[in-house]
Amino acid sequence: MRNKPTRLLLMPLALLFAGISFSQSPPPKVLPAKKTDKKVKIDGLITDEAWKDAAEMTGLVEFRPTPGRMENHENRTVAYLMYDDEGIYFGGYCYERTKDSIATELAGRDGFGTNDYIGLIFDTYYDKINGFEYFITPLGEQWDSKMAPNPNGDDEDFSWNAVWQSGAVIHNDGWSFEMFIPYSAIRFGKNEVQNWGMNITRRRRKTEQQYTWNPINPNVNGFLTQEGVWSGLTNIKPPMRLQFSPYFSTYINHFPSPAAGEKAWTSSVNGGMDVKYGINQAFTLDATLVPDFGQVQSDNRVLNLTPFEIKYTENRPFFNEGTELFNKGSLFYPRRIGIDPVLLHSADEYMNGNDALIKNPRESKLINATKISGRTQKGLGIGVLNAITNTRYATLEDINTKEQRKVEIDPLTNYSVIVLDQTMKNNSSVSLVNTNVLRSGSDYDANVTAGLFSLNDKKNTWNVNGKVAFSNLVGYLPDGKTQSGYSHSWGFGKTSGRFNFNVGQELTNNKFNSNDLGYFTFTNFVDHSMWMGYRWTKPSKWYNSFRVNANAYYSRRLNPGSYQAANFNINANGQLKNLWYVGGLMGYEPEGNNYYEPRKEGRVFRGWSSYFLDGWFETNSAKKYMMYMELLYVKRNLFNSERYSLNMQHRYRFNNKLTVSLNLELAPQNNNTGFAAIQGSDVIFGKRDIKTVENILNIKYSFNDKMNINTRIRHYWSRVKYEQFYTLLEDGGLEKNTTFTGNTNQNLNFFNVDMVYTWQFAPGSFINVVWKNAAFNYGQLVDHGYFKNFSQTMKEDDNNNLSLKVIYFLDYLNLKKWMKKKK
């Protein structure tokens, strides 16, 4: 979102409670549900007789860039909606002045791209919180998502994929479309007569105009809160939902310099299955049996100079598809299961002077994973996830006798998440979340329980929210006792209107720890935050929309109490009339006390004060060439340090099939200060120069709407060169150290290629061919620049992996019909 400086930012606090007047939302539109018993051929042409039975929707209303304006007759939308005993039919015609006015790009499923689209949104439980979205582009590509509140702020989960049918056809005066959404591709209650929240949305990409059937006021909180109603669905019953996705995969791997006893060439053949079973019309069981995630995208690995682990993106489909319930409370980090578990043991603790490390697997093998999720007619959402990882062993060898032995690194572990989420009136909800980790043997177990609430007033203008969490690490303490911790947060704010604000607090004591199944860093703190913003949503002579925000943050150590950090900033962003986005930020950070950087309990580093400036722009992304540029500058008072960050993104769309993009990030820092080493009882800090360069090249070619090939090439280089060392004093200051002679310089390179060919040869069925190449270079020689490092990395031994995976979607009902025909 984007913003603009104004004196309103300094308005008296009285205005917070006086309120800002804005137009009330009109009553929702109501569309009667029409049922048909006629056949429909899904080919993108709305010529079947059945469409005469459908209810018609016209008169769409623009909500950006000009809220409230009716769509032009030459660009009008005519849409139809109906249902039968099998599912829902949605079709229509999106008119344009000419064929050239239609924006098209083959971008793959959920690939977005530079496309016009039309979408159908259902809130089947009519709770104005949870929904399903189905989109189609003029070239027939599908997008779909689940809508639910998300702690990261993104309410649309496009990782969720359903199996449904669609078609689209481009004409001289627009494009027509059809969708068929079977009841197996959506969840709903069991009432004999049902009313669903519903809306449709259309986007004209070249003009950045977006329309909806039921009007959307951008000054009102929420999208589903402003939905229309599809009224009177009668006697709809989902069929038996039993779907199988068996897979077959084979891998060939080559690494030219294997460890002793290992082969340069290896291969494997795998088989397994994903199962989806509808327990009833609302709840679904998902299970992955003998899972294979070898084709997921490579991680964007980086050099970590912080005292905490890096949080990487979860790319395994099972753990990021349809997991909106499990994200409640931000207590679940799925990479803990198999990829990044909290390691309880290392090979070093088992080694003696005669041992050599032969094998140390980085990940624990996932045996199976199951999740159950859904929502009752009364709005109670229930989610249960369970996964088991096998024991992980490292192999040690006696260098004299050559005898090998296995030592346990990570025990057999069971992970579970249970969520109860009750929706209420006024877009409100309360939730209960529990995460649990059970380990075999004598290692400790972990349990975290949290209660959450989010309450809105009747006019959807004010919100109060909060969370209370308790953690228990059973057998964690040296005497085998349980360590128990506590955390809470609350917030209050105004969420509708042109002026909004939020104030909040978060507190976590020094015993709380949710890291065993979540991502957890800071502890023992109490933070206070404030945000306020003002927005202009009606276009002026030079902008379409604009926003201005102010943020303040103040953090204290909880026990013993002391000041930690503060931050103040003002930012503005908006969309100009030429469809460019622009934004800027300025802020100040006073000197703070860092209790984490010393890497030693009880020590503190008295840091720096800084001010920072940031500016960015993005050109019209509907054009063939698009550019994004952002420049950040930070000035710190300690050692007169400076930090720069330049982020440039270029994208060129040659035609509907081929698009190439290049992302470049340069991040140099001069006279940065940070942890270097521990020397006896001393903590050594260093003044250092840091240079980081990241290049990512993406090449996308689509053969048609079912087949594409995507290539992603990434090179990352980071260099840390220490110029002077200091001893950290007890008061947090630094004293020059002339005796430390250790080499703490670092020079790191990662190079990855991910080339993925995908062919959807039938609904829900895919053939994937993936080539992965990975090279790594690490050392302490820091005298070379970027190109020398790139050249050296290309000479390193690289790992090459070629894989083929075939996934075939089987629906029980279709299989049953096929078997009947055979008889």
Side-chain angles (χ1 to χ4, degrees), residues 621-820:
S621 58
K623 303 291 186 180
K624 284 184 175 292
Y625 172 73
M626 184 276 288
M627 177 183 180
Y628 171 86
M629 179 181 290
E630 181 175 7
L631 179 62
L632 169 69
Y633 174 75
V634 181
K635 180 70 173 180
R636 296 165 176 157
N637 69 332
L638 185 60
F639 301 129
N640 202 28
S641 173
E642 291 181 310
R643 174 189 167 196
Y644 302 86
S645 177
L646 174 64
N647 186 351
M648 296 179 64
Q649 301 176 18
H650 304 271
R651 188 216 64 204
Y652 190 80
R653 184 164 42 88
F654 290 87
N655 49 45
N656 288 339
K657 296 183 175 182
L658 176 63
T659 299
V660 177
S661 65
L662 175 65
N663 297 347
L664 167 65
E665 184 172 0
L666 307 174
Q669 298 189 55
N670 302 320
N671 295 334
N672 174 268
T673 308
F675 173 84
I678 299 290
Q679 185 183 44
S681 60
D682 290 335
V683 178
I684 307 301
F685 269 57
K687 182 175 67 174
R688 59 200 183 184
D689 290 342
I690 303 172
K691 289 186 178 180
T692 301
V693 180
E694 182 181 45
N695 275 293
I696 301 177
L697 175 66
N698 290 282
I699 305 171
K700 182 272 301 178
Y701 185 82
S702 297
F703 300 92
N704 51 49
D705 63 336
K706 300 293 189 295
M707 184 188 301
N708 60 69
I709 185 167
N710 286 280
T711 302
R712 185 178 189 269
I713 304 171
R714 175 182 183 260
H715 175 238
Y716 170 90
W717 170 59
S718 189
R719 185 192 75 181
V720 183
K721 184 177 182 180
Y722 284 83
E723 303 290 350
Q724 177 65 57
F725 293 103
Y726 299 84
T727 301
L728 181 66
L729 302 177
E730 290 298 328
D731 66 356
L734 298 177
E735 181 179 72
K736 187 175 290 187
N737 184 308
T738 58
T739 60
F740 179 75
T741 58
N743 185 357
T744 56
N745 294 333
Q746 297 189 70
N747 192 82
L748 176 66
N749 289 268
F750 288 110
F751 180 81
N752 292 94
V753 178
D754 291 82
M755 181 178 288
V756 181
Y757 166 82
T758 299
W759 175 29
Q760 182 180 342
F761 61 90
S765 302
F766 298 87
I767 293 177
N768 298 323
V769 180
V770 176
W771 172 53
K772 289 186 176 186
N773 175 272
F776 167 81
N777 174 275
Y778 177 80
Q780 293 180 305
L781 180 64
V782 293
D783 295 330
H784 299 307
Y786 174 79
F787 293 103
K788 183 70 174 179
N789 271 272
F790 179 78
S791 176
Q792 183 61 41
T793 305
M794 294 299 97
K795 296 175 184 178
E796 294 290 331
D797 293 331
D798 57 340
N799 189 79
N800 281 279
N801 184 284
L802 182 65
S803 62
L804 166 69
K805 188 173 186 179
V806 181
I807 306 169
Y808 196 79
F809 174 80
L810 295 170
D811 184 273
Y812 169 78
L813 292 180
N814 291 337
L815 190 61
K816 188 177 179 180
K817 291 177 184 177
W818 179 80
M819 292 177 69
K820 281 185 177 181

Side-chain angles (χ1 to χ4, degrees), residues 583-611:
L585 176 147
M586 61 186 300
Y588 175 72
E589 185 177 77
E591 185 178 296
N593 294 309
N594 190 328
Y595 293 94
Y596 306 96
E597 186 65 16
R599 324 291 168 97
K600 196 170 183 180
E601 186 69 27
R603 302 299 300 274
V604 62
F605 166 54
R606 192 172 67 245
W608 51 72
S609 65
S610 64
Y611 65 84

